[in-house]
Amino acid sequence: MKHFDAGNMSEAIGAFETELRHVDADNSDAWRMLGRCHAENDQDRKAIACLERAVDRDPYSVEALLLLGTSYVNELDHPRALRNLKSWATHNPTYAGMELPSVEGAASASASSPPEERERTALEEAKKLLEKAIEVDPTQAADAMEALGVVCNVSREYDAAIDHFRKAIDLRPDDYQLHNKLGATLANSNRSDEALPAYHKALQLKPKYARCWLNMAISHANLHNYDEAARCYLQTLSLNPGATHVWSYLRIALTCAERWDLLPLAASQNLAGFKEHFDFVQY
């Protein structure tokens, strides 16, 4: 946890894996934190594998369920995302005894229904459930607001998602993940210029946050700030050398910036060679 809080993800991953391999393979918290490490490194498939194991061992781990829902959204697996986000609310002791809202058409949305109808019904169920959770105690509903923001991203209701994330940030202003989610939602709604301050705030709170560096790079690329995009891609790779897909993003940014001389460095994945051209911290 000390390594994780400091942003030393390689060391944190090694420690959690050692716990699971040699101490307790059924440690739900270790599986959850290992999944969170991978998620923060922008490796959602690895995160999902770990978070599923966390939930298998503790079906009432609301933190793991919320993380799992978010990773499935990032992987565009909306049915599993919605199922886990609904489980987050129904398995949450804070909302024990809460009357579950009904959704018109839910009973008729069977396995034989078209996928679009099933997803629409699941979306409405999740939204109503989370809205009900927020009503229970709005002053303690940051997690429910975060979950609702994730659901609204699924339905592409970006303005609503932005509103939910901002309300969650009002309750938890030092939550770097919320600032990153706000930035990503602004970027998804073609507001990359507005996303940058949210990313800067997330990185102010946790400078070694690889996923946020990557998101900021993509926003700079969208705004045609290709040199700055390249710098942020390089910082991402320094933090997470395993993110090999980022090298292709870097090559595109360098090509758009007409930095032809640097393409061989990217082709050979020579991170150290970029130090004399861009200002980033090499770990």
Side-chain angles (χ1 to χ4, degrees), residues 183-196:
T185 307
L186 286 162
N188 287 342
S189 59
N190 297 316
R191 295 156 69 179
S192 290
D193 54 334
E194 296 178 52
L196 293 176

Side-chain angles (χ1 to χ4, degrees), residues 193-223:
D193 54 334
E194 296 178 52
L196 293 176
Y199 293 142
H200 282 298
K201 181 62 179 178
L203 291 171
Q204 179 185 336
L205 293 164
K206 190 167 188 176
K208 295 181 179 179
Y209 188 4
R211 176 167 227 129
C212 191
W213 279 105
L214 177 57
N215 285 343
M216 187 156 67
I218 292 169
S219 282
H220 277 300
N222 290 339
L223 294 168

